[in-house]
């Protein structure tokens, strides 16, 4: 007596079914802040001290888990020696690049 077994069918990859999630503003902001800080060769603690925030808070900002106030964003931007306009433009460019837009210079190259 032969048993009939229904063959398993392959479940397609989740990535094939769902479009990529658009990054949140706080995630894009954090990535940009970390990138600028690294470009400058600064330690997290040094930037945090100049911004008047704790290193833990700055780390959470950079990882995109904190929803920082505009005052906190301005303080960190100032500590990095960049303007809010330049920071906002850099975040926007990074978001466009993540979406697949064609934009040269997706990161801020701070002077």
């Amino acid at each position: 007596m032969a048993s009939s077994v229904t063959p398993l069918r392959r479940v397609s990859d989740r990535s094939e079914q769902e479009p990529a999630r658009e990054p949140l503003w706080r995630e894009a902001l954090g990535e940009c802040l970390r990138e600028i800080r690294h470009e400058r060769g600064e330690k997290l603690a040094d930037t945090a001290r100049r911004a008047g925030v704790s290193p833990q808070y700055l780390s959470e900002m950079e990882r995109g888990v904190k929803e920082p106030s505009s005052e906190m964003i301005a303080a960190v931007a100032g500590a990095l020696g960049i303007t809010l306009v330049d920071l906002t433009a850099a975040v926007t460019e990074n978001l466009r690049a993540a979406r697949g837009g064609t934009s040269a210079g997706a990161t801020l190259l701070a002077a």
Side-chain angles (χ1 to χ4, degrees):
M1 200 166 150
S3 73
S4 63
V5 176
T6 306
L8 297 176
R9 63 185 173 92
R10 183 175 173 262
V11 178
S12 63
D13 236 359
R14 241 184 175 349
S15 61
E16 293 174 8
Q17 295 174 357
E18 298 175 8
R21 179 182 70 83
E22 185 175 29
L24 298 174
W25 174 260
R26 70 174 185 252
E27 295 167 341
L29 171 67
E31 183 179 311
C32 199
L33 289 172
R34 176 174 284 152
E35 192 171 307
I36 294 167
R37 185 175 58 77
H38 284 178
E39 284 175 1
R40 294 173 173 263
E42 292 188 15
K43 293 183 179 180
L44 186 99
D46 296 333
T47 303
R49 181 183 40 75
R50 283 197 318 279
V53 299
S54 71
Q56 293 83 5
Y57 190 89
L58 180 55
S59 175
E60 290 175 346
M61 282 178 69
E62 288 185 354
R63 289 181 287 129
V65 296
K66 267 297 183 228
E67 190 75 60
S69 68
S70 58
E71 289 86 0
M72 290 295 188
I73 296 169
V76 174
L80 291 168
I82 59 172
T83 66
L84 283 176
V85 171
D86 289 338
L87 178 59
T88 303
V91 173
T92 301
E93 289 300 316
N94 285 348
L95 285 169
R96 280 195 183 117
R99 186 179 68 181
T102 55
S103 177
T107 61
L108 173 68
L109 298 176

